[in-house]
Amino acid sequence: MADNGDEDSLYRIKEGDYVVLKRGDIYKAVQIQTKKKVIFEKQWFFLDNAVGQLYSSTFEIVAGGTLQPRMPKNTESSSDAKEAGIDNRNIVDDGKSQKLTRDDIETLKEQGLKGQEIIQQLIDNSSTFRDKTEYAQDKYIKKKKKKYENTVTILKPSCRILAMMYHGREPGKICHLRYDTLAQMLTLANIHAGSKVLVFETCAGLVLGSVMERMGGYGSVVQMFPGGGPVRAGVESFGFPAHFHDMLHEFPICHVNALLAGTLDTTAKDPSADSNQSNIAAEVAEQQGSPEEQSMETNSGADGSHDQEKEEREKRKEAKAQEKKVKQEEKRKKLAAAAAQLEGRNADGLVIASRFHPCPVLMGLLKFLSPSRPFVVYSQYKEPLIECYTKLKEHGGTVNLRLTDTWLRHYQVLPNRTHPVLLMSGGGGYLLSGTTVAGDRSKPAGSQRAGEPAPKRPKLTDTEG
């Protein structure tokens, strides 16, 4: 029974969980916090009543921003025969078919009518609804539901849902990476539990979180990051348990060449920290002043409150210096741990998806992979990947190089009206994938290739005379 309770708790919403709100094709990632106002699609509400409910539940937004679980629909009413016309040829869209005005609809909302009741009022007061075909009536009801039904669905975050959210709301943050392309990246890179994967991405942490989700908390992930620190906004939206973050390491991309050359010193302290501490000590000494100045201040009749303020300032600065020293030590330990993961050069996979040119990054990070290991590179444009393809062919050490493009189109599946959706995504980016192989280092680069026959020597014939 206890096991069943634990399993059931995994599918229920708890306070502090990260969830995804959904209405139609619109998504938004939020954290469950009591008494915190959430604004979604120009509506505000509180998520307090969602705690304890199952994921994928649909709620209605009632007066006061309170969520109320939506009751299951009554299927009997939908099966009733509806009056419908043969075609729409005699219907004129002159704006006079609806008797209710905007003020009347606002009055109905103030009276407390729900979305379904308002839609029924619109249908009853429409003079052309019964003349429309059955398909046109369903389309009309669907359009009005989208406008007047105040419902929201709470979903559990996943790789697919978050990829759809980012691609729909802010595609530039994830380099226009589409969710089907992300799925191919995870497959081509052979991401699985227990492996060691290198990730270099500038997609707000979406690719990194997808790799961690696929590995399930087993193995190790080394995030190579540019700049001062890694960006993991997308990883937080997944809501991983604490043990998932134990497998995550970080390593600055600017130290890769030093690590490959063997000149990276992870035991030395950061010289900037020492200089900062010396600057702070100098400032404290300046503020304290010389003994003569201090004696003049005391003789001037100043009370002891000034000395107390100086002591408090000194304590605050010492605390800040100590805190900074602890952070520098933690940063050094993280760097040493990530370097230890990379020094063996036995990584099982490489995933690159960034706004930077991938060629120098790819050529540098391929040296950390074991032989017969997959790698995949994403780019919004194909020209950088063509350059990588040519460079890899010239350099050698890789096989099965493939440069691919994905094509995706949604279909509307309804009775007697199944057809492709008119609007579709123009492109999901390009992928370069391949497999590393061990090079033959016993022969120089200019020697003949393995497997080629030796060239025949020309036959010399003696000539008389």
Short mmCIF file of all heavy atoms in Angstrom, two decimals, residues 8-19 21 30-36 38 45-59 65-69 152-155:
data_model
loop_
_atom_site.label_atom_id
_atom_site.label_comp_id
_atom_site.label_asym_id
_atom_site.label_seq_id
_atom_site.Cartn_x
_atom_site.Cartn_y
_atom_site.Cartn_z
N ASP A 8 1.46 6.99 -6.56
CA ASP A 8 0.38 7.93 -6.82
C ASP A 8 0.84 9.37 -6.60
O ASP A 8 0.40 10.29 -7.30
CB ASP A 8 -0.80 7.60 -5.90
CG ASP A 8 -2.00 8.48 -6.19
OD1 ASP A 8 -2.52 8.42 -7.32
OD2 ASP A 8 -2.41 9.24 -5.29
N SER A 9 1.75 9.59 -5.64
CA SER A 9 2.23 10.95 -5.38
C SER A 9 3.06 11.50 -6.53
O SER A 9 3.16 12.72 -6.68
CB SER A 9 3.05 10.97 -4.08
OG SER A 9 4.23 10.18 -4.23
N LEU A 10 3.63 10.63 -7.33
CA LEU A 10 4.42 11.09 -8.47
C LEU A 10 3.55 11.77 -9.52
O LEU A 10 4.03 12.61 -10.28
CB LEU A 10 5.17 9.93 -9.12
CG LEU A 10 6.25 9.24 -8.26
CD1 LEU A 10 6.82 8.04 -8.99
CD2 LEU A 10 7.36 10.23 -7.92
N TYR A 11 2.28 11.39 -9.58
CA TYR A 11 1.37 11.93 -10.58
C TYR A 11 0.47 13.03 -10.05
O TYR A 11 -0.46 13.44 -10.73
CB TYR A 11 0.51 10.79 -11.16
CG TYR A 11 1.32 9.65 -11.72
CD1 TYR A 11 1.47 8.46 -11.02
CD2 TYR A 11 1.97 9.78 -12.95
CE1 TYR A 11 2.23 7.42 -11.53
CE2 TYR A 11 2.72 8.74 -13.47
CZ TYR A 11 2.85 7.57 -12.75
OH TYR A 11 3.60 6.53 -13.26
N ARG A 12 0.73 13.47 -8.82
CA ARG A 12 -0.08 14.53 -8.24
C ARG A 12 0.74 15.80 -8.08
O ARG A 12 1.95 15.76 -7.86
CB ARG A 12 -0.66 14.10 -6.88
CG ARG A 12 -1.69 13.00 -7.01
CD ARG A 12 -2.48 12.80 -5.74
NE ARG A 12 -3.50 11.77 -5.92
CZ ARG A 12 -4.72 11.99 -6.40
NH1 ARG A 12 -5.07 13.23 -6.74
NH2 ARG A 12 -5.59 11.01 -6.53
N ILE A 13 0.07 16.93 -8.19
CA ILE A 13 0.72 18.24 -8.13
C ILE A 13 1.02 18.56 -6.67
O ILE A 13 0.15 18.43 -5.81
CB ILE A 13 -0.18 19.31 -8.75
CG1 ILE A 13 -0.53 18.93 -10.20
CG2 ILE A 13 0.49 20.67 -8.73
CD1 ILE A 13 -1.60 19.80 -10.82
N LYS A 14 2.26 18.97 -6.40
CA LYS A 14 2.67 19.34 -5.05
C LYS A 14 3.19 20.78 -5.04
O LYS A 14 3.60 21.31 -6.08
CB LYS A 14 3.76 18.39 -4.55
CG LYS A 14 3.32 16.93 -4.44
CD LYS A 14 4.42 16.05 -3.89
CE LYS A 14 5.54 15.85 -4.89
NZ LYS A 14 5.12 15.14 -6.10
N GLU A 15 3.17 21.38 -3.88
CA GLU A 15 3.67 22.74 -3.75
C GLU A 15 5.18 22.77 -4.01
O GLU A 15 5.93 21.95 -3.50
CB GLU A 15 3.37 23.28 -2.35
CG GLU A 15 3.75 24.74 -2.18
CD GLU A 15 3.41 25.27 -0.80
OE1 GLU A 15 2.78 24.52 -0.02
OE2 GLU A 15 3.79 26.43 -0.51
N GLY A 16 5.62 23.73 -4.82
CA GLY A 16 7.02 23.84 -5.20
C GLY A 16 7.35 23.16 -6.51
O GLY A 16 8.46 23.34 -7.03
N ASP A 17 6.42 22.36 -7.06
CA ASP A 17 6.67 21.69 -8.33
C ASP A 17 6.66 22.69 -9.48
O ASP A 17 5.94 23.70 -9.46
CB ASP A 17 5.62 20.62 -8.60
CG ASP A 17 5.80 19.39 -7.73
OD1 ASP A 17 6.78 19.38 -6.96
OD2 ASP A 17 4.96 18.48 -7.80
N TYR A 18 7.46 22.39 -10.50
CA TYR A 18 7.41 23.15 -11.75
C TYR A 18 6.41 22.47 -12.68
O TYR A 18 6.48 21.25 -12.90
CB TYR A 18 8.78 23.20 -12.41
CG TYR A 18 9.74 24.16 -11.74
CD1 TYR A 18 10.55 23.74 -10.69
CD2 TYR A 18 9.84 25.49 -12.14
CE1 TYR A 18 11.43 24.62 -10.06
CE2 TYR A 18 10.71 26.37 -11.52
CZ TYR A 18 11.50 25.92 -10.49
OH TYR A 18 12.36 26.80 -9.87
N VAL A 19 5.48 23.25 -13.21
CA VAL A 19 4.43 22.72 -14.07
C VAL A 19 4.36 23.58 -15.33
O VAL A 19 4.98 24.63 -15.43
CB VAL A 19 3.06 22.72 -13.36
CG1 VAL A 19 3.10 21.83 -12.12
CG2 VAL A 19 2.64 24.13 -12.98
N LEU A 21 1.47 25.29 -17.85
CA LEU A 21 0.07 25.65 -18.09
C LEU A 21 -0.21 25.59 -19.59
O LEU A 21 0.62 26.02 -20.40
CB LEU A 21 -0.23 27.05 -17.56
CG LEU A 21 0.15 27.33 -16.11
CD1 LEU A 21 -0.19 28.77 -15.76
CD2 LEU A 21 -0.55 26.37 -15.16
N VAL A 30 5.58 27.51 -15.04
CA VAL A 30 5.52 28.24 -13.77
C VAL A 30 5.84 27.27 -12.64
O VAL A 30 5.91 26.06 -12.83
CB VAL A 30 4.13 28.88 -13.54
CG1 VAL A 30 3.82 29.91 -14.60
CG2 VAL A 30 3.04 27.81 -13.50
N GLN A 31 6.01 27.82 -11.45
CA GLN A 31 6.22 27.02 -10.25
C GLN A 31 5.01 27.17 -9.33
O GLN A 31 4.47 28.27 -9.19
CB GLN A 31 7.50 27.47 -9.52
CG GLN A 31 7.87 26.58 -8.34
CD GLN A 31 9.13 27.05 -7.64
OE1 GLN A 31 9.58 28.18 -7.84
NE2 GLN A 31 9.71 26.19 -6.82
N ILE A 32 4.59 26.05 -8.74
CA ILE A 32 3.43 26.07 -7.85
C ILE A 32 3.83 26.75 -6.54
O ILE A 32 4.66 26.24 -5.78
CB ILE A 32 2.93 24.64 -7.58
CG1 ILE A 32 2.48 23.97 -8.88
CG2 ILE A 32 1.79 24.66 -6.58
CD1 ILE A 32 1.24 24.54 -9.49
N GLN A 33 3.26 27.91 -6.28
CA GLN A 33 3.48 28.64 -5.04
C GLN A 33 2.14 29.16 -4.55
O GLN A 33 1.36 29.73 -5.31
CB GLN A 33 4.45 29.81 -5.25
CG GLN A 33 5.87 29.38 -5.61
CD GLN A 33 6.80 30.56 -5.81
OE1 GLN A 33 6.35 31.71 -5.81
NE2 GLN A 33 8.07 30.29 -5.99
N THR A 34 1.87 28.93 -3.27
CA THR A 34 0.59 29.34 -2.71
C THR A 34 0.51 30.87 -2.60
O THR A 34 1.52 31.54 -2.34
CB THR A 34 0.38 28.71 -1.32
OG1 THR A 34 1.49 29.07 -0.48
CG2 THR A 34 0.30 27.20 -1.42
N LYS A 35 -0.68 31.38 -2.83
CA LYS A 35 -0.99 32.80 -2.72
C LYS A 35 -0.14 33.66 -3.66
O LYS A 35 0.13 34.83 -3.36
CB LYS A 35 -0.82 33.29 -1.26
CG LYS A 35 -1.73 32.59 -0.27
CD LYS A 35 -1.54 33.11 1.14
CE LYS A 35 -2.44 32.40 2.12
NZ LYS A 35 -2.26 32.88 3.50
N LYS A 36 0.27 33.09 -4.76
CA LYS A 36 1.02 33.85 -5.75
C LYS A 36 0.18 33.98 -7.02
O LYS A 36 -0.29 32.98 -7.57
CB LYS A 36 2.35 33.17 -6.08
CG LYS A 36 3.18 33.96 -7.08
CD LYS A 36 4.49 33.28 -7.41
CE LYS A 36 5.28 34.08 -8.43
NZ LYS A 36 6.55 33.42 -8.81
N VAL A 38 -0.70 34.33 -10.79
CA VAL A 38 -0.13 33.90 -12.06
C VAL A 38 -0.94 34.53 -13.18
O VAL A 38 -2.18 34.47 -13.17
CB VAL A 38 -0.14 32.36 -12.19
CG1 VAL A 38 0.38 31.93 -13.55
CG2 VAL A 38 0.70 31.74 -11.08
N PHE A 45 -4.89 34.28 -11.94
CA PHE A 45 -5.51 33.30 -11.06
C PHE A 45 -4.45 32.79 -10.08
O PHE A 45 -3.25 33.09 -10.21
CB PHE A 45 -6.13 32.13 -11.84
CG PHE A 45 -5.21 31.52 -12.86
CD1 PHE A 45 -4.34 30.49 -12.54
CD2 PHE A 45 -5.20 32.00 -14.17
CE1 PHE A 45 -3.49 29.94 -13.48
CE2 PHE A 45 -4.35 31.45 -15.12
CZ PHE A 45 -3.50 30.42 -14.77
N PHE A 46 -4.90 32.01 -9.10
CA PHE A 46 -4.02 31.40 -8.10
C PHE A 46 -4.02 29.89 -8.30
O PHE A 46 -5.04 29.30 -8.67
CB PHE A 46 -4.49 31.75 -6.69
CG PHE A 46 -4.49 33.22 -6.39
CD1 PHE A 46 -5.64 33.98 -6.55
CD2 PHE A 46 -3.33 33.86 -5.96
CE1 PHE A 46 -5.65 35.35 -6.28
CE2 PHE A 46 -3.33 35.22 -5.69
CZ PHE A 46 -4.48 35.96 -5.86
N LEU A 47 -2.88 29.28 -8.01
CA LEU A 47 -2.72 27.83 -8.21
C LEU A 47 -2.87 27.04 -6.92
O LEU A 47 -2.48 25.87 -6.86
CB LEU A 47 -1.34 27.54 -8.82
CG LEU A 47 -1.08 28.13 -10.22
CD1 LEU A 47 0.36 27.91 -10.64
CD2 LEU A 47 -2.02 27.49 -11.24
N ASP A 48 -3.43 27.66 -5.87
CA ASP A 48 -3.53 26.96 -4.58
C ASP A 48 -4.39 25.71 -4.67
O ASP A 48 -4.03 24.65 -4.11
CB ASP A 48 -4.14 27.91 -3.53
CG ASP A 48 -3.27 29.15 -3.32
OD1 ASP A 48 -2.62 29.58 -4.29
OD2 ASP A 48 -3.25 29.69 -2.20
N ASN A 49 -5.52 25.77 -5.38
CA ASN A 49 -6.43 24.63 -5.44
C ASN A 49 -5.91 23.51 -6.34
O ASN A 49 -6.50 22.42 -6.36
CB ASN A 49 -7.81 25.08 -5.96
CG ASN A 49 -8.53 25.95 -4.95
OD1 ASN A 49 -8.08 26.08 -3.81
ND2 ASN A 49 -9.64 26.53 -5.35
N ALA A 50 -4.83 23.76 -7.08
CA ALA A 50 -4.28 22.70 -7.94
C ALA A 50 -3.44 21.70 -7.15
O ALA A 50 -3.18 20.59 -7.64
CB ALA A 50 -3.43 23.32 -9.05
N VAL A 51 -2.99 22.07 -5.95
CA VAL A 51 -2.16 21.18 -5.14
C VAL A 51 -2.98 19.96 -4.73
O VAL A 51 -4.10 20.08 -4.21
CB VAL A 51 -1.63 21.92 -3.90
CG1 VAL A 51 -0.83 20.98 -3.01
CG2 VAL A 51 -0.78 23.11 -4.31
N GLY A 52 -2.43 18.77 -4.97
CA GLY A 52 -3.12 17.53 -4.65
C GLY A 52 -3.88 16.93 -5.80
O GLY A 52 -4.29 15.76 -5.74
N GLN A 53 -4.11 17.70 -6.87
CA GLN A 53 -4.82 17.19 -8.04
C GLN A 53 -3.84 16.44 -8.95
O GLN A 53 -2.63 16.59 -8.87
CB GLN A 53 -5.48 18.34 -8.81
CG GLN A 53 -6.49 19.12 -8.00
CD GLN A 53 -7.73 18.31 -7.67
OE1 GLN A 53 -8.10 17.39 -8.40
NE2 GLN A 53 -8.37 18.66 -6.56
N LEU A 54 -4.40 15.63 -9.84
CA LEU A 54 -3.58 14.88 -10.78
C LEU A 54 -3.08 15.78 -11.90
O LEU A 54 -3.75 16.76 -12.27
CB LEU A 54 -4.39 13.72 -11.38
CG LEU A 54 -4.76 12.58 -10.44
CD1 LEU A 54 -5.73 11.64 -11.13
CD2 LEU A 54 -3.52 11.82 -9.98
N TYR A 55 -1.89 15.44 -12.42
CA TYR A 55 -1.39 16.15 -13.59
C TYR A 55 -2.31 15.91 -14.79
O TYR A 55 -3.04 14.90 -14.84
CB TYR A 55 0.02 15.69 -13.93
CG TYR A 55 1.10 16.34 -13.10
CD1 TYR A 55 1.72 15.66 -12.07
CD2 TYR A 55 1.50 17.65 -13.33
CE1 TYR A 55 2.71 16.26 -11.30
CE2 TYR A 55 2.47 18.27 -12.57
CZ TYR A 55 3.09 17.57 -11.56
OH TYR A 55 4.06 18.18 -10.80
N SER A 56 -2.29 16.83 -15.74
CA SER A 56 -3.13 16.81 -16.95
C SER A 56 -4.60 17.08 -16.62
O SER A 56 -5.48 16.82 -17.45
CB SER A 56 -3.00 15.49 -17.71
OG SER A 56 -1.66 15.26 -18.09
N SER A 57 -4.87 17.59 -15.40
CA SER A 57 -6.24 17.97 -15.06
C SER A 57 -6.56 19.34 -15.63
O SER A 57 -5.68 20.21 -15.74
CB SER A 57 -6.42 18.00 -13.53
OG SER A 57 -6.17 16.73 -12.97
N THR A 58 -7.82 19.53 -15.98
CA THR A 58 -8.30 20.80 -16.52
C THR A 58 -9.12 21.52 -15.46
O THR A 58 -9.96 20.91 -14.79
CB THR A 58 -9.14 20.58 -17.79
OG1 THR A 58 -8.35 19.88 -18.76
CG2 THR A 58 -9.58 21.91 -18.39
N PHE A 59 -8.84 22.82 -15.30
CA PHE A 59 -9.51 23.63 -14.28
C PHE A 59 -10.23 24.79 -14.95
O PHE A 59 -9.80 25.30 -15.99
CB PHE A 59 -8.50 24.17 -13.27
CG PHE A 59 -7.72 23.11 -12.53
CD1 PHE A 59 -6.56 22.59 -13.07
CD2 PHE A 59 -8.16 22.63 -11.31
CE1 PHE A 59 -5.84 21.62 -12.40
CE2 PHE A 59 -7.45 21.66 -10.63
CZ PHE A 59 -6.29 21.15 -11.17
N GLY A 65 -10.25 34.53 -9.21
CA GLY A 65 -9.03 33.87 -9.65
C GLY A 65 -8.81 32.50 -9.04
O GLY A 65 -7.68 32.02 -9.00
N THR A 66 -9.87 31.87 -8.60
CA THR A 66 -9.77 30.54 -7.99
C THR A 66 -9.93 29.47 -9.06
O THR A 66 -10.77 29.61 -9.97
CB THR A 66 -10.84 30.36 -6.91
OG1 THR A 66 -10.74 31.45 -5.98
CG2 THR A 66 -10.67 29.05 -6.17
N LEU A 67 -9.14 28.41 -8.94
CA LEU A 67 -9.25 27.29 -9.87
C LEU A 67 -10.23 26.26 -9.33
O LEU A 67 -10.19 25.90 -8.14
CB LEU A 67 -7.88 26.63 -10.08
CG LEU A 67 -6.82 27.45 -10.81
CD1 LEU A 67 -5.56 26.61 -11.02
CD2 LEU A 67 -7.32 27.96 -12.14
N GLN A 68 -11.08 25.79 -10.21
CA GLN A 68 -12.07 24.78 -9.84
C GLN A 68 -11.95 23.62 -10.83
O GLN A 68 -11.99 23.83 -12.04
CB GLN A 68 -13.48 25.37 -9.88
CG GLN A 68 -14.58 24.38 -9.53
CD GLN A 68 -15.94 25.04 -9.58
OE1 GLN A 68 -16.04 26.26 -9.59
NE2 GLN A 68 -16.98 24.23 -9.62
N PRO A 69 -11.78 22.37 -10.34
CA PRO A 69 -11.66 21.24 -11.28
C PRO A 69 -12.86 21.15 -12.19
O PRO A 69 -14.02 21.28 -11.75
CB PRO A 69 -11.57 20.02 -10.35
CG PRO A 69 -11.06 20.56 -9.05
CD PRO A 69 -11.62 21.95 -8.94
N VAL A 152 -7.89 26.08 -18.01
CA VAL A 152 -6.45 25.92 -18.10
C VAL A 152 -6.12 24.48 -17.69
O VAL A 152 -6.73 23.93 -16.77
CB VAL A 152 -5.70 26.94 -17.21
CG1 VAL A 152 -6.07 26.77 -15.75
CG2 VAL A 152 -4.21 26.83 -17.38
N THR A 153 -5.19 23.88 -18.42
CA THR A 153 -4.74 22.51 -18.13
C THR A 153 -3.33 22.56 -17.56
O THR A 153 -2.47 23.28 -18.09
CB THR A 153 -4.77 21.65 -19.41
OG1 THR A 153 -6.08 21.69 -19.97
CG2 THR A 153 -4.41 20.20 -19.09
N ILE A 154 -3.08 21.81 -16.49
CA ILE A 154 -1.77 21.78 -15.84
C ILE A 154 -1.08 20.47 -16.22
O ILE A 154 -1.59 19.38 -15.93
CB ILE A 154 -1.90 21.91 -14.32
CG1 ILE A 154 -2.57 23.25 -13.98
CG2 ILE A 154 -0.55 21.79 -13.64
CD1 ILE A 154 -2.73 23.50 -12.50
N LEU A 155 0.08 20.56 -16.87
CA LEU A 155 0.81 19.41 -17.38
C LEU A 155 2.12 19.23 -16.62
O LEU A 155 2.67 20.20 -16.07
CB LEU A 155 1.12 19.57 -18.87
CG LEU A 155 -0.08 19.80 -19.79
CD1 LEU A 155 0.42 20.05 -21.21
CD2 LEU A 155 -1.02 18.61 -19.77
#
